[in-house]
Every structure is written in structure tokens, then in C-alpha cells.
Amino acid sequence: MNIKLILLLSFSLLKIATLTHAQVNVEKLDKKFNLTPYTQKYGEDQPTFIDNRPIFQNHWQQPDRLGLSKGPTDKGSWYRLILSSETELQKVLYFNYTLIPQLEFWVLSSNGEAAHYHGGTSSLDRTQHLGVSDKGYSYVMDFDEGEEKIIYFRMEGQGWPIHSEVFLFDVTTFLESNQNEFYIISFLRAVVITLLSIGFFIGILSRQRVFIFYALTFSAGILFAECEIGLFVDAFKDKYHEANYILRHLLNVAYIFTLVYFYNYFTPEKRFFKQFLIWFNPLIAIYTVISFTSLVASENPVIVYVNFISVVILSWVSFFGSSVILYKKRNHSILSKYLFLVQMSRLVIIAIFVTLPHMGVIQRASYTDYIYYIFIVYESIVYFYLLLKRSITIYNEKIELKKTMLEKHKLYSKAVLEGQEKERNRIGRELHDSIGGNLALFNKSDANMSKETKSILTDTMDAIRNLSHELISPSFHHISFKESVIDLVSKYNSSKQKVIVQFHEWPEITNKEIQHHCFRITQELIHNAEKHSKSSMVFIQFFGIENKRGNIYYEDNGVGFDVNAVKSGIGLRNIDFRSASIGAKLTIESSMKGTIVKIEDIVLEEGKMKKTTT
């Protein structure tokens, strides 16, 4: 009874001493009202406690320009709100910041009721929550007609910066506000996660590490933002409440590290970044180990403060170094200019919405959480666009390079084949005119030659004649391409190996060079089959297809060969060169069951298509 009397007396004295404008009449307020400007701050003295209830002297002051934001060096302060209502109603008192290690408040009513609540991440007894995505601490207050409530509260950061504003909501408005906030944050999360997932899979599929660093960088960024709004507080609970702060610290370091490497892979000129990384890599590695160890081993506010200040300095040094490099390369390309502009916007956002409020220089705005996400979404979209643009550019450059290499390959193949053909013609004519002629003259001049010697000489002359005919290019003047191929096939047909050739809508080609290459490819295939395949059947087909193009298919039932082992052989190299010269794609498949060779998409000149099969 005495305690209740003392409380009523204290309440009456405080009411008399209170300035008129410090009182807030709640029934006249908007559905959502910011009480922060009406919050009075207690002086440097600490209150006395009677039965665990604070008793204050009349040392109340108006809040300073910093509002309720506290830097890591600031100690906890006491605040007071005086609320009154002429009608019976219900309101929600809301502290809109989650990362407050210690938050406790007392509610003293003019009717003599008193309540004490613990909040904060380290509290065993969290305050009553309303809503779907409540990121702060809420308390439902019931006002009777003519009732007045005095609210005392204290926030302690324990070496971490703390920020909060105090709002008064109607219950319905509070629930709707949280619901809308939940939808907005969920949408922003979905956008970022989708872009990061796409970037990650593109990085894996394309093997471009820049996409991997893109995904890692903004994953660290969004997780840091989630820690900042308290996503993991409930997961770690009060027993491990320091884990959320340590995780936020490590994710901040990870974001700095991956962002620097992201820029390294994203910038065309890497010489400056390599010089920057020489000292950056060991510095951040040593710092991570030391800071993590000290935060886990000690909860001392001084240790926490030193680590927090150090990561702020590290982030600004790394961002400043990256900015200088990007500034130097900003005119290198449109990509570099975008990078520099985004980096400048990042520095402005970080300074205004993160660093300065964390240091207690300015008040943290209530919409900062949206700024985190909006900026991460903005960066993700911009960088994803730039990455795609860069990838498309690289892809186009590869296509152009491939075209150039193909043209050079064609020219090289043509030069090699022309040289070979000239030499083959020269050797063929030499065999036919000189050696063959001399052997023929010798055969006629020696009448005393034995029959056996005569037979050997005749066989040698025939072999030289056939070889010279094979070496000398067919003219295709008096005989068509098809007839030349059929004549070629007939020379290789034997009792051991059957060679079959068919033409399916193969056109009459007038271009001598294309005729020549196709003939030589066929000749090389049949020759290789005779020498190496040990096959009993060889089947060659010529197909005419649309757009004046054609295909040649070869198949045998021989013993096959290792394609990779003989790829550098003269025969296959000649086939490859000739295929490239006529714009065709060469495919070779070989196994113990036989060999298949496809020369596809041959560029044929215009000719009359005939349906012929031989």
C-alpha cells in the first residue's frame, strides 16, 4: 500500500513538473504518428530504483538533433513519453529497430497500474509482437477515459550502434503497415534472389567467374541487409544473440571482399587491381581472423566498438581504392563508366544511410531498410544487365574470331592443297612421261627378255600408269564428276572389297574446284579403306540438299581406328583441309564395327538438280 502511494505521489509530482508541450493527446493523432520529437531525454544522472522501478529527478531535456540514434561509443540513455487520452481506445507503441541488445521500459498509469517489459536481442522476455514482419518491438496499450500514461525506456548498444524511432499506431493501421512492408520486402527479395540465381547458373554453365563473384557479392550484400533488419535474431534466440551481430560483421567483410574481386573481374584493365590486391588480400584475411576471434571470445563493449570502427574504416578504404581505380578507367569503355557511376552512388548511399547513422552523427531514417533493399535491387539489375551485355559482346567477338579463323583455315587449306596438287601432278606426269615411257621403250627394245621378266615389267608399267592417273587431277572436260567417281570406284572394286557408290539428287557441278575437292575426298576415303580398313564392303553416297548444298556419306564394315590417334595423319588432314575449303563440316566416327565419315553442308554452285542413282 505504501509503495502504491509513493508511486501515485511521484506520478503527481512529475505531472506538475512536466512541460505542457511534452504531453501528447493520443486520440487526436493520426493513425500512424511519430513520437520521437516528443520524447524527452534524461540527464547524465541515473535514476534510483524502488522495488525495481525507476525514480527520476526533474532533469528531463528535449531530444537533441540526433534523435534516438546512438553510435557505438554512446552509453544507454533514459527517455520519457507522456501520453494521455480523453476517450477509451487502444494504441500500439512501436520501436522500429530490432538490433537493440538491451531495451527495457516501464509504463506507469494515472490509475496506479505499473508494468515493466524487457526487449532487445539479449532479453529473455521479448515484448509482445503484432503483425507479420514486425522488425522492431511493439506493445499494445489500452487507454481508459481520461487516463494518462508515462513511459520510461532505455536502450543500450553494448558497443554496437543502435537506432530507433518511436511510433504510435492504431492496431489496424499497424497490422496493415506490417503487411504492406512484408509484401514490399518479399518482392524485393524475390527480384534479388532471382537475379543472383540466374547469375550463379550462368557462371557455372559459361564458366565465367565474374558471374560467380556477382552472385557471391550480392548474396553477401542481401544477407548483410537481412542481418541489419534482424532476420536472424529469432533464429539465434536470446542465448546466442551475439551471433547475429557477429554474422552481420562477417557478412560486411565478405561483401567488401567479394565486391573488390567482382570489380577486378569486371574491369578490362586488371593491372591496377593486381597492385591493389597485393596488400588487400593479406590485410583482409588477417583482419577477419582477428576480428572474429575477438568478437567470439569477448563481449566487452570496447572490443565490440573497436571491431565495428575497424570494419567501417576497412570498407571505406577498399571502396575508396576501388573508386580511384574505376575513376582512372572510367573512359576506357561505357562499361567502366557505368561501374564508376554505380560506385559513386554506393558511396553516397553508404555514407548517408549507413556510416553516419552508425557513428551517431545523424539520425537513422525509418525507411532505411527499404533503401538497403532498393539499392541492392538497383545494383543487381544494373550489374546483371552489364554482365549480360559484356557476355554478349564476348560471344560476338568469339563468333567473329571463329569466322576469321575459319577464313584463315580455308586460305591455309587452299594453299596447302594447291601446293600438294601441283606436286602430285608433277610427280604423276614424271611417272607417266619419263619413267613409264622409259620402261615402255625398254620393253620394246629387248627381244631376248624372258616371259617372267616381261610379265614383271608389264605389271610395273601398269602400276605406274595407274598411279600417275591417280596423281594427275581429272580435267572434268570430257567426263562428268559422277562418271569420274564411278570410274574411280571401279578401279578399287575387287573380290576382297566391294565398293558401292550412289548419287541422290546430286547436281551437275560446273565449278571445277569444288568438283576437284569432292573427287579427291572420295579418292582418299577409298584409298584408306583399301590400305587400312580390312573391310569387305564400302558404301559411299552423294546427297543433294536444299540451297545448292550437298552431303557425302562414307561407311565401311572394317576394323575401325582410334580417331584421336590418327587425327594428324596426312590422309585425314587432307580430307579436313578439303572439307574446310568447300565450307563443309567433317565428322568421323569409328569403332571395331566399322567407320562412318560425314562431309556435310558442302557449298555447291548452282546447277540443275537431277534425280540420279547409280
Side-chain angles (χ1 to χ4, degrees), residues 12 18 180 190 205 577:
S12 301
T18 300
N180 293 335
L205 295 175
F577 285 159

Side-chain angles (χ1 to χ4, degrees), residues 1-21:
M1 188 68 180
N2 291 334
I3 294 173
K4 193 169 184 179
L5 184 62
I6 292 172
L7 288 174
L8 285 172
L9 181 60
S10 301
F11 186 88
S12 301
L13 291 173
L14 286 172
K15 184 175 180 180
I16 295 171
T18 300
L19 298 174
T20 304
H21 67 269

Side-chain angles (χ1 to χ4, degrees), residues 307-578:
N307 278 286
F308 181 81
I309 295 298
S310 63
V311 78
V312 171
I313 294 172
L314 179 64
S315 63
W316 276 99
V317 169
S318 61
F319 290 156
F320 178 76
S322 301
S323 300
V324 171
I325 295 170
L326 293 173
Y327 176 77
K328 289 182 178 180
K329 307 308 296 180
R330 70 190 188 283
N331 294 325
H332 182 85
S333 65
I334 188 66
L335 192 63
S336 301
K337 189 171 292 185
Y338 274 124
L339 285 172
F340 177 71
L341 292 176
V342 174
Q343 176 73 343
M344 290 299 98
S345 63
R346 173 187 289 108
L347 294 180
V348 172
I349 293 293
I350 290 174
I352 295 176
F353 296 100
V354 182
T355 302
L356 294 180
H358 278 346
M359 301 306 294
V361 178
I362 62 175
Q363 171 73 19
R364 183 180 187 270
S366 58
Y367 51 81
T368 297
D369 297 336
Y370 294 109
I371 296 296
Y372 277 137
Y373 269 101
I374 291 171
F375 187 72
I376 288 174
V377 169
Y378 156 71
E379 277 196 319
S380 300
I381 293 173
V382 169
Y383 284 133
F384 190 77
Y385 166 74
L386 294 178
L387 283 172
L388 284 181
K389 189 174 181 180
R390 182 171 183 258
S391 298
I392 292 171
T393 301
I394 293 173
Y395 177 74
N396 291 334
E397 288 175 353
K398 285 183 178 179
I399 291 178
E400 290 300 321
L401 181 62
K402 190 175 181 180
K403 288 181 179 178
T404 304
M405 293 296 294
L406 184 60
E407 290 298 323
K408 288 183 178 180
H409 182 59
K410 285 182 179 180
L411 293 174
Y412 173 74
S413 301
K414 185 177 181 179
V416 170
L417 293 173
E418 285 179 352
Q420 286 182 351
E421 204 61 42
K422 288 180 181 179
E423 189 63 17
R424 289 173 70 138
N425 286 330
R426 186 190 67 78
I427 295 172
R429 284 191 295 268
E430 188 70 24
L431 286 173
H432 184 272
D433 298 341
S434 180
I435 299 175
N438 291 339
L439 288 175
L441 183 62
F442 178 70
N443 186 29
K444 291 179 180 179
S445 63
D446 194 349
N448 297 320
M449 190 182 303
S450 66
K451 288 184 177 180
E452 184 179 354
T453 304
K454 191 92 169 172
S455 176
I456 293 172
L457 184 60
T458 302
D459 291 342
T460 303
M461 290 171 59
D462 291 339
I464 290 175
R465 187 181 302 108
N466 291 333
L467 180 60
S468 66
H469 287 165
E470 287 183 5
L471 289 172
I472 296 174
S473 303
S475 63
F476 301 115
H477 288 306
H478 305 293
I479 185 172
S480 69
F481 171 79
K482 294 178 185 178
E483 292 171 332
S484 298
V485 171
I486 293 170
D487 181 61
L488 173 69
V489 167
S490 66
K491 294 177 182 178
Y492 283 91
N493 263 314
S494 66
S495 59
K496 293 182 179 181
Q497 188 178 69
K498 180 72 173 176
V499 182
I500 299 174
V501 62
Q502 290 185 346
F503 293 89
H504 305 276
E505 299 186 359
W506 185 263
E508 294 291 345
I509 311 170
T510 58
N511 187 295
K512 302 301 180 185
E513 184 179 357
I514 296 174
Q515 286 181 334
H516 179 74
H517 285 309
C518 291
F519 180 85
R520 286 300 189 195
I521 288 172
T522 307
Q523 186 182 47
E524 193 73 55
L525 290 171
I526 299 175
H527 180 70
N528 287 340
E530 183 185 52
K531 286 186 65 177
H532 307 295
S533 73
K534 298 180 182 180
S535 62
S536 61
M537 181 70 70
V538 175
F539 195 42
I540 304 175
Q541 298 183 85
F542 294 80
F543 287 90
I545 57 177
E546 296 178 353
N547 300 322
K548 308 299 186 292
R549 293 177 180 268
N551 298 331
I552 300 175
Y553 295 134
Y554 165 93
E555 186 174 1
D556 67 44
N557 61 351
V559 295
F561 59 92
D562 186 349
V563 176
N564 294 323
V566 300
K567 228 170 190 178
S568 58
I570 295 175
L572 288 183
R573 249 190 330 187
N574 283 340
I575 293 174
D576 183 36
F577 285 159
R578 293 187 186 278

